[in-house]
Structure formats: structure tokens, C-alpha cells
Amino acid sequence: MDSERLRTLLKAVSSGQVDPEDAAAALIAGPLGGDGSGFADLGYARVDTHRGIRTGDPEVVYGAGKTAAETVGIVETLRRASGVGTPTLVTRAGAATVAALRERWPDTRVSSSASGDERPATVVVGPLPEPRGRVVIVAAGTSDAPVAEEAAMTAEAAGAGVEMVRDVGVAGLHRVLAARPVLDSADCLVVIAGMEGALPSVIGGLVGVPLVAVPTSVGYGASFGGLAALLGMLTSCAPGIAVCNIDNGFGAGLFAARVARRA
């Protein structure tokens, strides 16, 4: 149940197409949980079944630190609460979790950059919503792909149209300039870079589009696992830039989708 489905249900009650008792039963079985609490207590997790109504965002499970069985159980609960037409997102999923999700839901989408046990995956269970607005994800280098794909899949699950621009780091500025028409046409940009994190400053000086920057932990020793990029983005002289935490593609993708949906 999300905010749009809730409005549709209430309009149907208002017009007499749906009985109030049936509507109440649908709400209790869905976003409010069986006891009307707004969450489902699985023992190992209290699953928020009410987020879609509050924010309009997809349900999300942070996969790191959870077993495959726990993740599948949480996703099962969210799927029952939200309905088949709403996606459920799993971030930072390990290989065992991906395999378990694919076994339970064969049409599960998995980020292409995930490879075996090497990289955690972003997973979407269920159909994507009709896109509203346009988010462009910009990755400085190929090594930034996992974070870029997390941002892209999050933005899609949150209801935005997404386009990806890859490998346009500042080591070859002509590549950024060639992509300028695409950047300028977006409702929101997500710009992802490691090393010294200069790409958001460059793009922020080229276009007047809302921009959220994501530092990645890519780089040699003095980059301090993304800290150098984070500080560079926070101290950018280009205006209009918001900054997410290191490797937080999820947070950036959701922020951008909210901007694009409003646009």
C-alpha cells in the first residue's frame, strides 16, 4: 500500500464503489499490519509496513548483516503488506541472499556489477512503477559502478526514469563536456566519484540542475577510503550540491527520485 493506492481506495469508498468494512480490512491486512500497529513483528525484525503511505517510497531492506533467511522473511512480509504492484528493494545483498531471493522470486532484478561473492548486490523484487521525472546517474569511473547501479536501481524503484552516464571522470574532461546535453536535461543528477572527488564540482559549474554527490571508497591510500572525496565534495566551490555519505548510492538515488517525482 502506497499513498497513491490509499487515495484510490478512499475515493472508491467515497463514491460507494467499495464498502467501508472492505476498505478497513484491506488497510489492516496491508499497511497497518494485523493488529493495526503499522509494523509486523517477526521476532528478529519489526518490519515497517507503513512507509509507502508516509513517504511514497519503496520498501527497502539493508541486506548486509542479515542472513538469507532473515532477508527473505522480511521481503515476504513487505510483499504481503504492499501488494504485488509495488517493488521491494534489497541493498548490499550477498551471494547467498541473492540466490535465495531469486529462488523465491524468479523475476528478481540484480545489479549487473555484482559478481559472485566479490561485490554486494542491489536487488529489486516486484515490478517497477511508472516513471515520473528523470534522474541521470553520472559515474566518474568503471570502479564506481556498484555505487552507481545502487543509485540507479533505487531511483527506478522509487518511481523515477533513469539514465546512466558512465566513465566521464575529470582525467578526461572532454568526456564530461560531450555529455553536457544529457546532464542539462535531467530533473536531478547523482554524481559519483572516488579519488579526489572533483567531478561533482565540475558538473555543478556546468549545469543548473539539482545535484547530489556521492563519494566512493575508490582510490589509493591517501584517499582514506573515500574520506578525501567526501571532504572535497563538502568543500566544493560550485553551488547547489548536496552530499551523501561514502558509497551511499541508495541515499542519493532516493533523494534524486523524490526531486524528479516532484518535478
Side-chain angles (χ1 to χ4, degrees), residues 168-195:
V168 290
V170 297
L173 284 175
H174 56 295
R175 299 176 299 180
V176 181
L177 296 175
R180 184 172 179 175
V182 176
L183 307 178
D184 202 32
S185 65
D187 294 309
C188 191
L189 294 168
V190 177
V191 182
I192 300 164
M195 301 291 187

